[in-house]
Amino acid sequence: MSENILEVRNLTKNFPGVVALDNINLDIKKGVTHCIVGENGAGKSTFIKIITGALSKTEGSIIYSGQEYNPRSISEAMKNGMSTLYQELNVVEQLTVEQNLNLGKEKHILSFMKKSEQDLKAIEILKAIEPRIDIKQLVANLSTAQRQILEIARAIATDAKVIIMDEPTAAITEEETKKLFKVIENLKEKNVTIIYISHRLSDIFEIGDYVSVFRDGKLIATKAISEISSSLELVKMMIGKIVTESYIPNEVNYNKKVLQVKELNDTKLKDISFDLFEGEIIGFYGLVGAGKTEIAKAIYGLRDSKGAIIIGDRTRKINTPEKAIKSGIAMVPEERRTEGLFTELTVRDNIPVMNMQKVSRFGIRSKRKEALIARDFIKKLKIVTPSEEKKVALLSGGNQQKVVIAKCLNAESRILLLDEPTRGVDVGAKEEIHNLIRNLAKQKVSVIIFSSELQEILILCDRIFTMFNGSLKAVFKNGTEDISYKILHTALVGES
Amino acid sequence: MSSKNVNTELKTRKLNETLLQNLVTLGILVLISVIITALIPRFLTYTNINNVLLQISLIIIVGSGITLLMISGNFDLSVGGVLALAGVLFAFLSRAGVPTFFALILSVIFGSLMGALNGTLVVNLKISPIIVTLGTMYITRGLALIFANGSMISSGLPGDFRKLSNTYFGPMSLVIMIVIAVVIIFIFIQSKTNLGQYAFFIGSNRETARLSGINIGRTVSILYILVGTLAGLSGVILASKLGTGDSSVGDGFEFDVIVAAVIGGTSVAGGKGSISGMVLGAMILGVLNNSLNLLGVASYYQLVIKGLVLIGAIVLQRYIVEKFS
């Protein structure tokens, strides 16, 4: 059999308080497509960062092309033939394709005057892969897929032996994906090794030779794709055993629909329809880019979508967050620092913002009322802060998230949209937030959770909707049987 | 906890940053004044101080609005042009026989309309505030020249044209009273009203403000209208004081106003600032101008010194505030 290009032995990476990678042993063969899969936080990115020199390892050894390998920087890894195609492509839009190909390789200050052999090689390679790209045009005019091909050509020209691709198909069309796959096939013929990271299991079955599954910092298994019978098998390896014991059904009033969404359509969403009952918690689960956030934004008046939103029994035209809040909807946005908080202002300034009427009369504020409300929420939500006059920027992530939630609760909405409500929050605060959400449901508030964390959805939600590529794929009723694999399968593959 | 308790605690904490900032600005002001008084004792006379106050009165009036506008992350470069145009319009209407009081009101309202125009262009057409107000700066300056026939309207004005600027109540001029009233009203808006708080929200994070249901367009428009109104008011005060509608006045005024706000701790990026600080900033500007004149420094050198003092003041402030807060 062919030799190994990469042999990883007992690789461990510790971060303060966390073992990100735990004793990884992995061989990657030369000239194959080796896929790496795992949930968010499984350790894939840490692994890639170590072999590309972006992070240093704590323990273990890496043998690359038969030699001990310890890159101290990304550029050192690149010099050794280890190239990475990041999700955020590393091209300069204002330069032409040709200039981009030669970028960073000018050996001499005047070398751009005369093309080196390597530059010509890069252009040759690019033409061989995709003759339709005009090398004189600006990169700004290229599609994402074309830019990827440009980066691949650059990598091959530097004699890359290993090309790492991180979610390369996340932002490109199906047709472009096919072209990329053809390029990958060609690379393999040239004995280049591809390390392919993706959430899309269909991609993996199409072009992968081997697959390694990561979970909780451990390598669960490495198998040849031909040995794997179905995507469900892969899913099971990815998530292991799921604990669903802590799901407690909420007291849902099935006689009262508080929200009906009918045939929501826009550039991303396709025919989204669902109902929400009083006191119910429902969850939307799907990969990054599946359209969860878009549903939240569409309901909250942030997207130009077609379709009907019926609150109670009245159809509402919601085209701004202002109207959404007036209709009784509040949203905890995905990015708390940039969308949820005024980090430079105090806790007292932040909490009343969605409902200023409560702290003002005829447009005149009462700072006393603001302080009382803020203190009330600090106590109720156990926000850890020395006082309500503390700048929000100085609080921890979990406490910042509680401030965002307090803002929404202060709006006294009947419907809460929570987009990734516990992302980047420590375990203790996470549990507190989960209990808080359950208590809200008890008070007849209806909640929609949009999360890429299956565990969170499974312990809180009465019904779970899976999303794939902008459409709803399935609805599951929680608590009846073990639905975790089915949910994950529909979300990853797009069919049940 | 009792509400009284909440209140006192609130006050002690709130003082921190703004107070420190203002203390530093005040310190710089006192420092400059002490040096000047040592050099020229005449500086500290009633007449001279009054003179300084009159010179900076227009900066303080317009600065009150500009500070709020800048807190919201916006800008207005057209205030100098609007000031000139409102003054010329005031003279134009008065000469045409419109009763002085009505001419005055109409000219101020015209300022409001220019503010509304700025607001509409910034909000609805989503053009950068600097570009929009640079455009309206040219337009207003041009219109002022057109109305004033290229220079000024000085003849044929009614007898009460100067009344606004030479009315006194005891030792206090009406203009100074207007300045004080404007400052009080705007400090109230800044710290006690939703409008003021919305300006802080929008300036510190526009996206969060939008997602929190704040009507950004309406808020920003109102702020532009307030600034335009104040610029119009300043224009009629100046015209009344000069006794003419002069199309060339207020050249560089927009920068004086912004500089006063910035020295007073207002951030060009938005989210931070105070009107009280701006008043102190305007005083530093006024004292500096006045003392350089008293010292008989040639005007070319004055510009250089002014520039140095301004940069120095801001560097010193930042150093002290960062060190102690």
Side-chain angles (χ1 to χ4, degrees):
Chain A
M1 269 309 283
S2 61
E3 55 177 316
N4 292 331
I5 181 110
L6 207 60
E7 294 177 359
V8 177
R9 293 288 172 265
N10 308 95
L11 181 67
T12 297
K13 173 72 188 176
N14 294 327
F15 288 114
V18 195
V19 183
L21 282 181
D22 189 2
N23 205 20
I24 304 293
N25 286 289
L26 173 62
D27 291 343
I28 293 177
K29 290 193 167 64
K30 199 173 198 171
V32 301
T33 304
H34 196 114
C35 302
I36 294 180
V37 296
E39 279 198 293
N40 294 334
K44 294 171 298 185
S45 308
T46 311
F47 176 71
I48 294 306
K49 280 183 181 156
I50 289 173
I51 62 172
T52 55
L55 277 178
S56 61
K57 62 182 193 259
T58 310
E59 273 169 49
S61 68
I62 303 169
I63 310 289
Y64 171 53
S65 288
Q67 280 179 352
E68 185 74 23
Y69 171 71
N70 264 321
R72 276 163 305 182
S73 67
I74 296 174
S75 59
E76 196 184 317
M78 272 174 77
K79 266 184 213 136
N80 285 302
M82 185 85 72
S83 271
T84 314
L85 211 62
Y86 289 103
Q87 274 169 294
E88 297 295 323
L89 292 176
N90 195 14
V91 289
V92 184
E93 295 205 347
Q94 288 79 12
L95 296 181
T96 65
V97 171
E98 189 176 10
Q99 285 162 334
N100 263 285
L101 282 173
N102 305 340
L103 209 65
K105 295 201 207 70
E106 294 90 353
K107 288 196 190 68
H108 185 267
I109 193 151
L110 289 176
S111 68
F112 65 90
M113 311 278 288
K114 188 173 147 279
K115 289 192 183 78
S116 72
E117 244 172 78
Q118 203 178 51
D119 301 338
L120 292 170
K121 194 172 143 201
I123 294 166
E124 282 304 305
I125 292 165
L126 180 68
K127 279 188 177 153
I129 306 174
E130 177 60 332
R132 278 187 296 173
I133 298 179
D134 173 8
I135 62 165
K136 297 287 181 205
Q137 79 179 311
L138 290 183
V139 168
N141 301 329
L142 299 187
S143 71
T144 308
Q146 287 176 317
R147 290 176 197 202
Q148 280 178 343
I149 288 167
L150 175 59
E151 281 240 62
I152 292 171
R154 207 154 71 175
I156 302 171
T158 54
D159 296 319
K161 292 182 207 131
V162 178
I163 299 179
I164 296 154
M165 302 186 179
D166 188 2
E167 293 284 354
T169 58
I172 62 178
T173 65
E174 249 167 74
E175 199 184 325
E176 290 174 327
T177 302
K178 276 187 194 132
K179 197 165 280 165
L180 178 73
F181 287 174
K182 229 174 248 164
V183 172
I184 291 177
E185 289 299 325
N186 285 335
L187 288 174
K188 272 161 64 177
E189 278 164 25
K190 296 198 178 83
N191 226 2
V192 174
T193 307
I194 312 288
I195 298 179
Y196 191 95
I197 301 150
S198 183
H199 271 115
R200 298 198 179 190
L201 300 189
S202 53
D203 285 8
I204 287 162
F205 281 100
E206 193 168 341
I207 55 143
D209 297 309
Y210 292 89
V211 60
S212 291
V213 183
F214 279 67
R215 186 172 78 219
D216 299 331
K218 294 188 178 69
L219 179 67
I220 300 304
T222 297
K223 287 189 171 180
I225 295 288
S226 52
E227 289 173 42
I228 295 174
S229 57
S230 70
S231 47
L232 189 60
E233 189 185 335
L234 204 53
V235 166
K236 283 186 177 167
M237 292 203 293
M238 279 167 71
I239 57 170
K241 193 165 165 50
I242 286 196
V243 192
T244 51
E245 289 146 343
S246 43
Y247 166 70
I248 310 156
N250 299 294
E251 295 151 30
V252 183
N253 176 4
Y254 285 107
N255 295 317
K256 195 171 172 191
K257 277 183 190 172
V258 292
L259 174 73
Q260 298 171 62
V261 171
K262 289 191 172 159
E263 285 169 17
L264 220 51
N265 275 289
D266 61 32
T267 49
K268 175 83 196 182
L269 301 174
K270 287 169 223 141
D271 284 327
I272 305 290
S273 299
F274 64 92
D275 298 336
L276 175 67
F277 295 95
E278 188 180 71
E280 188 185 29
I281 304 177
I282 63 172
F284 284 83
Y285 181 78
L287 296 177
V288 173
K292 296 175 309 235
T293 297
E294 284 76 7
I295 293 186
K297 289 195 164 163
I299 298 173
Y300 202 56
L302 291 166
R303 285 178 72 84
D304 194 11
S305 317
K306 287 198 179 72
I309 291 171
I310 302 162
I311 294 166
D313 44 17
R314 271 204 288 170
T315 304
R316 304 267 187 165
K317 176 96 191 109
I318 296 173
N319 50 17
T320 61
E322 198 185 1
K323 283 187 190 157
I325 294 168
K326 280 191 182 131
S327 314
I329 302 174
M331 179 172 87
V332 170
E334 190 178 5
E335 305 284 343
R336 67 172 159 269
R337 277 164 205 277
T338 54
E339 301 175 330
L341 292 169
F342 305 103
T343 50
E344 286 303 304
L345 301 180
T346 64
V347 176
R348 175 185 51 72
D349 287 319
N350 270 275
I351 289 179
V353 58
M354 288 169 87
N355 191 359
M356 290 296 282
Q357 292 93 308
K358 213 166 135 187
V359 294
S360 65
R361 205 193 282 169
F362 307 118
I364 295 167
R365 292 159 62 207
S366 159
K367 285 191 190 169
R368 194 181 62 81
K369 277 189 198 161
E370 289 180 1
L372 288 173
I373 285 176
R375 287 185 169 201
D376 190 35
F377 279 111
I378 288 171
K379 209 194 274 171
K380 261 200 271 180
L381 271 57
K382 301 196 186 80
I383 301 172
V384 181
T385 170
S387 98
E388 72 280 0
E389 293 301 317
K390 191 94 171 164
K391 258 191 202 173
V392 170
L394 303 173
L395 304 186
S396 73
N399 287 303
Q400 288 185 346
Q401 189 68 6
K402 286 182 187 174
V403 173
V404 181
I405 294 173
K407 260 176 61 187
C408 290
L409 296 185
N410 184 55
E412 292 166 357
S413 308
R414 305 310 300 162
I415 299 167
L416 264 186
L417 313 174
L418 309 175
D419 197 356
E420 304 289 356
T422 60
R423 176 185 283 179
V425 161
D426 63 277
V427 183
K430 195 175 210 167
E431 208 179 310
E432 283 174 25
I433 290 172
H434 287 164
N435 287 333
L436 184 74
I437 295 170
R438 285 201 188 99
N439 281 331
L440 286 170
K442 278 203 187 96
Q443 291 155 36
K444 298 192 169 157
V445 173
S446 306
V447 182
I448 310 180
I449 297 174
F450 304 86
S451 178
S452 45
E453 206 183 310
L454 188 54
Q455 185 79 16
E456 174 166 274
I457 296 256
L458 281 170
I459 64 171
L460 289 173
C461 299
D462 300 302
R463 282 184 298 152
I464 296 149
F465 295 77
T466 50
M467 296 212 55
F468 188 84
N469 245 339
S471 342
L472 281 181
K473 286 294 170 189
V475 193
F476 300 92
K477 181 122 186 59
N478 203 357
T480 45
E481 51 176 327
D482 190 0
I483 49 173
S484 49
Y485 300 122
K486 288 184 189 164
I487 292 172
L488 208 63
H489 193 252
T490 44
L492 293 178
V493 186
E495 54 203 47
S496 31
Chain B
M1 195 163 289
S2 78
S3 58
K4 203 176 169 189
N5 215 336
V6 172
N7 236 347
T8 48
E9 210 169 302
L10 206 85
K11 268 179 196 149
T12 51
R13 290 225 175 76
K14 186 70 200 171
L15 290 181
N16 284 344
E17 210 164 320
T18 316
L19 185 75
L20 183 62
Q21 176 82 43
N22 283 353
L23 280 177
V24 175
T25 319
L26 187 65
I28 295 169
L29 177 63
V30 170
L31 184 75
I32 296 176
S33 305
V34 167
I35 295 171
I36 301 308
T37 317
L39 291 173
I40 326 156
R42 173 159 62 100
F43 172 76
L44 220 54
T45 57
Y46 171 78
T47 335
N48 192 51
I49 295 293
N50 210 29
N51 208 358
V52 173
L53 286 179
L54 276 176
Q55 277 169 5
I56 59 172
S57 57
L58 303 185
I59 295 179
I60 294 179
I61 290 174
V62 177
S64 299
I66 286 277
T67 303
L68 267 190
L69 187 72
M70 283 173 72
I71 288 171
S72 81
N74 283 278
F75 248 109
D76 192 344
L77 296 175
S78 73
V79 289
V82 173
L83 170 134
L85 180 53
V88 168
L89 202 66
F90 179 38
F92 186 84
L93 292 172
S94 301
R95 190 181 60 183
V98 178
T100 310
F101 180 72
F102 289 111
L104 189 154
I105 297 291
L106 284 173
S107 306
V108 175
I109 290 176
F110 182 78
S112 318
L113 291 175
M114 289 313 298
L117 176 67
N118 281 331
T120 309
L121 291 173
V122 169
V123 169
N124 295 333
L125 300 183
K126 297 191 169 66
I127 310 173
S128 139
I130 293 183
I131 304 299
V132 166
T133 58
L134 213 50
T136 49
M137 174 180 102
Y138 285 124
I139 294 170
T140 47
R141 184 64 68 186
L143 286 175
L145 282 162
I146 293 167
F147 274 106
N149 241 335
S151 63
M152 58 179 77
I153 301 173
S154 52
S155 58
L157 296 174
D160 57 358
F161 188 75
R162 304 185 72 149
K163 200 174 167 192
L164 175 65
S165 62
N166 51 26
T167 302
Y168 278 81
F169 299 92
M172 186 85 105
S173 76
L174 177 61
V175 172
I176 295 292
M177 289 172 80
I178 292 174
V179 172
I180 293 169
V182 166
V183 169
I184 291 173
I185 291 169
F186 275 79
I187 286 181
F188 181 80
I189 294 177
Q190 174 203 285
S191 56
K192 298 277 180 210
T193 67
N194 286 348
L195 179 66
Q197 184 74 339
Y198 290 163
F200 278 99
F201 284 148
I202 295 168
S204 39
N205 188 335
R206 205 183 162 87
E207 190 59 13
T208 300
R210 187 168 79 105
L211 294 185
S212 300
I214 289 170
N215 190 327
I216 295 177
R218 189 170 60 207
T219 308
V220 170
S221 296
I222 292 173
L223 294 176
Y224 272 107
I225 292 171
L226 289 176
V227 170
T229 309
L230 295 176
L233 179 63
S234 299
V236 298
I237 290 175
L238 184 59
S240 161
K241 198 149 77 183
L242 298 173
T244 58
D246 188 343
S247 60
S248 68
V249 296
D251 198 20
F253 179 70
E254 54 280 340
F255 294 111
D256 286 345
V257 175
I258 291 168
V259 166
V262 170
I263 294 180
T266 301
S267 160
V268 184
K272 245 185 217 151
S274 76
I275 289 165
S276 49
M278 179 279 303
V279 173
L280 292 172
M283 285 180 176
I284 290 179
L285 269 186
V287 166
L288 200 59
N289 264 333
N290 176 261
S291 48
L292 292 174
N293 279 332
L294 289 180
L295 285 169
V297 177
S299 60
Y300 311 135
Y301 293 98
Q302 281 196 18
L303 285 176
V304 177
I305 294 170
K306 252 167 85 176
L308 290 174
V309 171
L310 296 181
I311 294 170
I314 291 186
V315 171
L316 182 69
Q317 259 183 21
R318 187 164 306 167
Y319 176 75
I320 294 177
V321 171
E322 264 170 29
K323 193 143 195 195
F324 292 97
S325 73

